Amino acid sequence: MGQHINIPTSRTQCIGGYLAQPQGKPKGGIVVIQEIFGVTAHIRRVADGFAGHGYVAIAPAFFDHLESGVELAYDQAGMNKGRQLIGELGLERALEDVASAAESIASAGRIGTVGYCWGGTVALLAALRLGLPSVSYYGARNLPFLHETPRAPVMFHFGEKDRSIPPEMVAKHREALPQMELFTYPADHAFNRDGSAPYHEASAKLALQRTLAFFDRQLAGAA
């Protein structure tokens, strides 16, 4: 369903991306924002899934600014390398890339974002600063930005067994952004990542159902 493309960015450098197209007229467009592991087979499946539900989906390869074709393993070495790369990349440059990716699929209609882990925080920033309706899955780096005034709605998904995001952190989201939808699940961090140990099928399916309803309201319903 998908294809690899180049995305022009604001820094005169193209980065790669994975583009998945729906059949028929799109409901809108979704920028799929990776975890710290790159545009992996899982992230490509996520993009394909949104395309299957009627959206143009694009997953930018943010790490191409630093190294091309990064796809890391879900092990300690992969985590260490991923953390190094996001530290070098920075959130500001990632947000610029989200804006570039959104512009590249603007013909799809209204654009939103969905992000996972590190990408969950980038998705939050896309709602806060870019005005893109966004869904943030288990973003452990969200707290420094919760004081900002949102320019678009954001939905949050958290795992109740996620030690990187304890209940008091989740509570701060509710306190800072009480107008936004927030859901918790009996699952660990990365519960949406199929094919890996943290995957929790029931939670992933329910979160996706809520995510699709959000995008149907914010993107398709706003067309």
Side-chain angles (χ1 to χ4, degrees):
M1 185 181 295
Q3 60 180 313
H4 293 276
I5 64 164
N6 289 320
I7 304 169
T9 73
S10 60
R11 307 225 176 182
T12 71
Q13 174 190 4
C14 283
I15 60 172
Y18 181 78
L19 177 69
Q21 298 273 10
Q23 293 184 344
K25 182 180 179 181
K27 296 179 180 179
I30 297 172
V31 180
V32 178
I33 308 170
Q34 63 179 56
E35 305 165 298
I36 65 172
F37 303 100
V39 181
T40 59
H42 163 65
I43 293 297
R44 296 192 295 272
R45 287 194 299 272
V46 169
D48 287 341
F50 284 115
H53 287 284
Y55 293 93
V56 175
I58 187 168
F62 299 93
F63 294 161
D64 278 3
H65 288 292
L66 308 169
E67 298 180 22
S68 62
V70 174
E71 289 189 48
L72 302 173
Y74 301 120
D75 57 15
Q76 192 60 51
M79 289 181 64
N80 292 343
K81 179 65 172 178
R83 287 170 178 156
Q84 173 197 330
L85 290 170
I86 63 168
E88 292 178 29
L89 181 72
L91 289 169
E92 292 293 340
R93 183 154 48 168
L95 198 59
E96 292 173 11
D97 289 346
V98 170
S100 297
E103 185 177 353
S104 76
I105 59 169
S107 62
R110 190 156 164 74
I111 310 298
T113 86
V114 60
Y116 306 87
C117 184
W118 172 78
T121 296
V122 180
L124 169 62
L125 289 170
L128 294 175
R129 300 179 183 178
L130 301 180
L132 300 177
S134 297
V135 178
S136 172
Y137 278 74
Y138 33 81
R141 299 165 178 83
N142 292 352
L143 290 190
F145 310 108
L146 294 180
H147 67 282
E148 297 186 23
T149 301
R151 293 177 54 196
V154 59
M155 173 183 283
F156 297 101
H157 300 301
F158 294 108
E160 293 160 6
K161 300 177 183 179
D162 187 342
R163 287 178 294 177
S164 68
I165 309 173
E168 54 269 27
M169 282 181 65
V170 176
K172 288 181 179 179
H173 288 72
R174 295 189 192 277
E175 292 165 10
L177 298 169
Q179 74 275 34
M180 302 304 178
E181 295 177 281
L182 185 155
F183 302 98
T184 65
Y185 304 84
D188 206 340
H189 191 77
F191 66 78
N192 187 70
R193 191 199 302 145
D194 59 348
S196 68
Y199 179 61
H200 191 267
E201 183 177 11
S203 298
K205 286 184 174 180
L206 181 55
L208 177 60
Q209 182 181 42
R210 288 165 168 165
T211 295
L212 290 169
F214 174 88
F215 285 134
D216 283 350
R217 291 193 306 272
Q218 298 297 330
L219 305 184

